[in-house]
Amino acid sequence: VTETEKHMSSRPGFACRTLTPLLVIAGLVATTMLGCAFGEIRPDDPFDRELTLDRAQHRYTTLVRFSHFEKAKKFIRTEQQDEFMDRMRALEEARFTDFVDDGVELSEDHRSASVKVTYTIYTPSMPFEFEVVEYQEWSREGAGNDWRVWSRFEGLSKLAAN
């Protein structure tokens, strides 16, 4: 038995007092690494602005794609909601077959974003597909995560010509 072993064995609880802080530190390091690996810790976006925006943008676009315009209206800025519903009346007969977005471009201050969405549409009276582009300008007020969109469509004149 060495002198160190004698010294350690004469101090009850020495091993527990030494190992406990090391286990706590190891646990914290492992948790942090897992959080980073799964994108849960965002030092540049601690309030999940981008995640909330991605969800709102995808939900809104999916509602438009499936012609649930009344539900989609809830994402539109209040001052544009009537105009949006008037515009969507032109799409009542349209059948959306797909959409593709070019990805969300979030501003550096995480207060606004832009998205270009291309919908593929046909109507029963015009049985071939064509594309309609929607430019979405997203913004939020204050410190909240309540994202609202200003929507602008291009290509709806193809429906009016029918």
Side-chain angles (χ1 to χ4, degrees):
V1 177
T2 67
E3 193 63 35
T4 305
E5 290 172 336
K6 283 182 188 175
H7 180 69
M8 286 176 49
S9 64
S10 67
R11 297 174 58 196
F14 176 77
C16 286
R17 285 192 307 267
T18 305
L19 286 178
T20 301
L22 291 176
L23 289 174
V24 169
I25 291 171
L28 287 172
V29 168
T31 302
T32 302
M33 290 174 60
L34 276 173
C36 289
F38 291 105
E40 297 303 318
I41 297 175
R42 297 173 185 84
D44 61 329
D45 189 13
F47 299 108
D48 290 332
R49 306 279 191 232
E50 188 171 4
L51 179 64
T52 306
L53 170 62
D54 285 341
R55 287 180 180 159
Q57 190 274 331
H58 185 265
R59 178 75 177 137
Y60 164 79
T61 303
T62 301
L63 288 169
V64 170
R65 188 256 189 249
F66 287 102
S67 301
H68 297 294
F69 305 129
E70 194 65 40
K71 290 179 181 178
K73 179 177 91 170
K74 295 174 184 163
F75 290 92
I76 299 289
R77 291 184 195 170
T78 305
E79 65 272 15
Q80 194 197 18
Q81 288 181 354
D82 291 338
E83 178 189 334
F84 173 79
M85 291 306 292
D86 289 343
R87 198 174 331 117
M88 294 299 101
R89 282 189 190 86
L91 296 174
E92 285 178 345
E93 302 256 335
R95 305 296 184 262
F96 294 77
T97 59
D98 200 6
F99 74 86
V100 176
D101 70 52
D102 291 347
V104 175
E105 293 181 29
L106 186 64
S107 67
E108 285 186 30
D109 65 358
H110 294 213
R111 298 187 64 74
S112 63
S114 300
V115 185
K116 176 184 169 188
V117 179
T118 304
Y119 299 95
T120 305
I121 299 175
Y122 76 93
T123 64
S125 61
M126 188 171 53
F128 58 89
E129 292 183 330
F130 61 93
E131 292 183 342
V132 172
V133 175
E134 180 186 25
Y135 294 95
Q136 301 173 359
E137 297 296 326
W138 291 85
S139 63
R140 63 180 181 82
E141 297 295 324
N145 270 345
D146 187 27
W147 290 93
R148 296 286 178 226
V149 65
W150 186 271
S151 169
R152 182 173 54 90
F153 281 86
E154 287 184 2
L156 292 180
S157 59
K158 296 173 189 171
L159 286 173
N162 226 352

